Amino acid sequence: MSTFTESPAAPSEVRPRAPAIEIKGLTKSFGRTPVLRNLDLQIRWNEVLTVLGPNGSGKTTLIKILATLTKPDSGDIHIAGLDVARSGQGVRRLIGVVTHDPLMYDDLTAYENLRFTARMFGLDRHGERIEAVAERMGVAARLHQRVGTLSHGLKKRFSIAKALLPDPYILLMDEPESGLDQEALAILEDIVSNGFGRAHTVLMTTHNLERGLALGHRTAILVGGRIAYEGTLEVDGASTVRDAYFEYVGRYTGANPT
Amino acid sequence: MRSFLSPVLALLWKDVVLELRTKDIVVSVLLFSLLVIVIFNFAIDPTPQRVAVVAPGILWVAFIFGGVLGLTRSFALEKEHGNLQGLLLTPVGRDAIFFGKMLGIFVFMSVVEAITYPIFAVMFNLSLTVVPELIPVALLATLGIATVGTVFSAMAVNTRSREVMLPLLFLPVVIPVIVGAVEATGVVIRGEGGSDLVRWIPLLAAFDAVFLVVCPFAFNMVVEE
């Protein structure tokens, strides 16, 4: 696991001393249903933060707001010093996003989908880059297959390859392990732990407590739109984090913590 | 300029490749437009005097209602598997996404019109020699339809009954373009040309100019959650 420093990977075009992600007082509601309530969170460069929480706790909304897909009701959010509300295009240049959906066109081949993404990002020498990310995800042999003919797991691998394609500084991953087989899970864990290209800073949501503990420098538990617990394995110890998870998530879902 | 054009052309390339593979939009719009023309051909007795009056209206009814089908399909494709989110995650302005999608719709509608008009002319016994004069009218009207249609199809795709919502939202706004297109086509078909045509073409161009300025802003607001 890489150690995190002040801002070694910070891109030159942004404030070099700014944290990778800084969230202050983030609030979001859908209609009358509050989803995120006055949330504060900070992620340093080269840090992996895993966010755990039950269904409906606001994990996906948090990722969507950081990815500039959803506007918050209130709060200040900065990514690499850029205000997400005002500098959406600049923020999108720095992040790679993995969502629940593969975000690929079924009737294009995987290569055509990735080439389209490369052109939208204005990438040079995209052929080499496409080969590299497909190789990394173990799907190079499937590049020229239409996406509609791929299994869910292969689509997910390509969707991670797509997030890595523009060489982002920060990865935002919403339950990226769903649908992946053991080989792909090992690749994903290696990417999160050791980085890929410039991507060494990761915010990843997951339902898998043990994976969250294994991969994250820090773990946050999101319950009912609030950070109910935030801590590190090194300081708190695994049993404390597990106890916190069972206390908050177990109590919230009604599951038996033992 | 290159940073704006590159994603616009990438989107156009993507839509053209998808259309060549699936033939979802052009085939359905073409068949619908031809059906409308055939039905009108049976419904009215196409005497030369009557054709001169009603033909422009029939032609644009076929194009506009066919176009609604194409518009619905164009954004439904982006909605499937969250592809619109994929577009919004790229570091390009929403206006580049708007123009890329709009150009795709413009190209597909133009192809349908180019195939439909000769068949329409044969069925209603009209001259094909007016085609060069019709081209600027069709291009300007199609540009207006595609520009307004792109905004409303992006809006309707998020509604539960998008097939109903799109025409309800889109047709009232595009009426000035339809009126201009019908009048200008009538002038061309009746061989009146000259000053009458000169009056309608700048009007269509003016509507297009207004829509091309306003619609990218509206699109930006529509796609933001």
Side-chain angles (χ1 to χ4, degrees):
Chain A
M1 204 179 273
S2 59
T3 54
F4 42 84
T5 52
E6 189 58 36
S7 58
S12 58
E13 64 265 33
V14 298
R15 277 170 34 206
R17 305 291 287 182
I21 298 174
E22 191 172 31
I23 302 168
K24 284 181 185 166
L26 169 59
T27 300
K28 176 71 182 174
S29 301
F30 290 115
R32 289 182 175 180
T33 310
V35 179
L36 295 172
R37 307 169 197 226
N38 202 25
L39 192 121
D40 294 331
L41 202 61
Q42 195 181 85
I43 303 172
R44 287 176 282 173
W45 291 104
N46 290 0
E47 187 181 23
V48 176
L49 175 74
T50 49
V51 179
L52 298 157
N55 292 330
S57 58
K59 301 188 298 294
T60 298
T61 304
L62 173 63
I63 295 276
K64 280 188 168 182
I65 288 172
L66 292 172
T68 74
L69 289 173
T70 299
K71 284 188 173 171
D73 295 337
S74 63
D76 290 324
I77 304 147
H78 289 84
I79 292 187
L82 295 175
D83 187 341
V84 169
R86 292 179 187 175
S87 310
Q89 263 178 268
V91 167
R92 290 193 291 275
R93 234 174 256 290
L94 305 175
I95 59 173
V97 184
V98 179
T99 65
H100 290 210
D101 292 314
L103 311 182
M104 299 181 103
Y105 297 92
D106 278 354
D107 290 298
L108 296 181
T109 66
Y111 186 89
E112 288 167 339
N113 269 291
L114 293 174
R115 188 173 61 179
F116 171 61
T117 302
R119 290 181 69 185
M120 294 298 280
F121 273 83
L123 303 180
D124 294 327
R125 296 189 303 164
H126 52 253
E128 291 169 31
R129 187 92 199 131
I130 290 169
E131 294 285 344
V133 292
E135 195 71 47
R136 185 68 190 90
M137 290 309 301
V139 284
R142 307 281 191 156
L143 266 174
H144 297 286
Q145 203 171 325
R146 282 198 194 181
V147 167
T149 66
L150 297 171
S151 69
H152 176 65
L154 286 170
K155 283 183 190 174
K156 194 76 186 196
R157 287 196 197 204
F158 272 116
S159 99
I160 297 170
K162 186 179 167 184
L164 296 172
L165 184 67
D167 201 10
Y169 288 91
I170 299 166
L171 284 175
L172 304 172
M173 306 172 109
D174 193 11
E175 297 171 26
E177 72 269 40
S178 68
L180 294 181
D181 60 21
Q182 286 305 312
E183 184 203 9
L185 278 174
I187 295 170
L188 173 70
E189 288 173 5
D190 187 54
I191 289 169
V192 172
S193 299
N194 301 313
F196 181 79
R198 300 187 296 201
H200 293 267
T201 307
V202 182
L203 190 158
M204 176 180 141
T205 70
T206 179
H207 282 294
N208 188 313
L209 171 63
E210 296 308 321
R211 185 166 296 116
L213 289 176
L215 294 179
H217 295 114
R218 207 149 47 92
T219 301
I221 299 174
L222 192 61
V223 180
R226 288 196 179 94
I227 300 285
Y229 168 86
E230 192 181 344
T232 64
L233 203 62
E234 285 166 4
V235 175
D236 293 353
S239 60
T240 306
V241 182
R242 282 195 189 93
D243 287 348
Y245 179 81
F246 288 128
E247 183 190 346
Y248 292 114
V249 179
R251 188 173 61 192
Y252 189 81
T253 57
N256 186 350
T258 54
Chain B
M1 193 63 185
R2 185 176 170 270
S3 63
F4 177 79
L5 272 182
S6 181
V8 170
L9 296 176
L11 262 165
L12 179 62
W13 167 85
K14 183 268 294 175
D15 278 350
V16 169
V17 171
L18 281 174
E19 183 56 27
L20 288 173
R21 299 230 170 112
T22 62
K23 296 168 186 68
D24 268 1
I25 296 174
V26 169
V27 170
S28 56
V29 174
L30 181 63
L31 285 176
F32 184 85
S33 300
L34 291 176
L35 274 173
V36 170
I37 289 166
V38 169
I39 289 167
F40 272 110
N41 190 259
F42 284 121
I44 62 163
D45 180 20
T47 60
Q49 295 79 9
R50 194 170 289 160
V51 165
V53 176
V54 298
I58 295 170
L59 188 64
W60 283 101
V61 163
F63 288 160
I64 198 80
F65 284 104
V68 169
L69 281 186
L71 286 165
T72 307
R73 187 65 205 136
S74 174
F75 267 89
L77 182 78
E78 300 299 348
K79 192 71 181 168
E80 286 168 8
H81 311 301
N83 286 320
L84 187 57
Q85 281 192 5
L87 291 182
L88 298 177
L89 283 171
T90 60
V92 301
R94 307 313 196 208
D95 50 351
I97 296 172
F98 168 82
F99 280 106
K101 290 301 296 177
M102 185 272 283
L103 273 181
I105 292 163
F106 175 77
V107 168
F108 300 146
M109 280 193 71
S110 298
V111 169
V112 169
E113 289 166 11
I115 299 170
T116 305
Y117 183 75
I119 299 167
F120 174 79
V122 170
M123 290 184 79
F124 286 87
N125 203 21
L126 293 168
S127 169
L128 283 172
T129 57
V130 298
V131 167
E133 276 185 283
L134 272 182
I135 286 175
V137 175
L139 288 178
L140 285 172
T142 307
L143 183 63
I145 292 166
T147 304
V148 178
T150 302
V151 175
F152 285 105
S153 58
M155 191 185 286
V157 79
N158 288 317
T159 62
R160 210 173 294 168
S161 50
R162 60 178 174 238
E163 290 83 1
V164 178
M165 285 308 291
L166 177 59
L168 288 180
L169 295 168
F170 160 68
L171 291 174
V173 179
V174 86
I175 280 174
V177 175
I178 301 172
V179 171
V182 169
E183 293 295 337
T185 304
V187 168
V188 172
I189 286 176
R190 290 190 292 273
E192 292 163 2
S195 61
D196 279 347
L197 193 58
V198 168
R199 189 155 55 100
W200 287 108
I201 285 195
L203 197 68
L204 277 172
F207 282 130
D208 286 357
V210 171
F211 288 143
L212 281 168
V213 170
V214 173
C215 288
F217 289 105
F219 181 81
N220 196 5
M221 286 189 279
V222 164
V223 295
E224 296 284 346
E225 268 188 39

